[in-house]
């Protein structure tokens, strides 16, 4: 297997771990362009974060956990984007 394929597979695997199955599956159409896929995941995660903030403003108890999860996803995605750009 070529190094480029191994790198792509590694980034894809880490991406699936960071964002989870649902979000990963929602970006399946971008599987050939990992940078676009990462950017789409960031966009979708920011939407999740905004929704969680809105729920928090409405005093929904689960919103704090949603905010924390979205923040962790964004941090992981930012790190993965740095790595993906290096390779």
């Amino acid at each position: 297997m070529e190094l480029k394929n191994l790198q792509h597979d590694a980034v894809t695997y880490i991406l699936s771990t960071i964002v989870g199955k649902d979000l990963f599956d929602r970006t399946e159409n971008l599987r050939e362009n990992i940078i676009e896929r990462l950017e789409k995941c960031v966009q979708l995660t920011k939407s999740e974060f905004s929704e969680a903030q809105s729920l928090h403003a409405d005093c929904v108890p689960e919103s704090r956990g949603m905010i924390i999860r979205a923040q962790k996803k964004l941090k992981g995605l930012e790190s993965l984007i740095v790595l993906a750009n290096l390779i």
Side-chain angles (χ1 to χ4, degrees):
M1 189 176 258
E2 291 181 27
L3 180 60
K4 187 159 182 84
N5 288 338
L6 289 172
Q7 292 169 336
H8 182 273
D9 290 349
V11 171
T12 300
Y13 175 76
I14 296 169
L15 175 62
S16 71
T17 303
I18 291 170
V19 299
K21 182 175 175 19
D22 181 53
L23 189 54
F24 185 76
D25 289 348
R26 288 172 58 191
T27 60
E28 181 65 22
N29 62 314
L30 299 170
R31 71 179 166 265
E32 298 302 320
N33 188 329
I34 196 67
I35 299 298
E36 282 186 36
R37 191 172 195 178
L38 289 165
E39 290 170 353
K40 182 66 174 180
C41 286
V42 167
Q43 176 188 2
L44 293 170
T45 303
K46 284 182 178 180
S47 293
E48 289 177 0
F49 181 74
S50 293
E51 180 182 345
Q53 286 182 314
S54 177
L55 292 172
H56 187 67
D58 293 339
C59 299
V60 174
E62 300 84 24
S63 62
R64 186 71 186 128
M66 293 169 66
I67 289 171
I68 291 168
R69 284 189 298 277
Q71 288 172 326
K72 285 181 180 180
K73 275 189 208 178
L74 286 171
K75 181 74 172 166
L77 287 167
E78 289 168 1
S79 298
L80 191 54
I81 288 170
V82 170
L83 293 175
N85 281 315
L86 290 174
I87 58 173

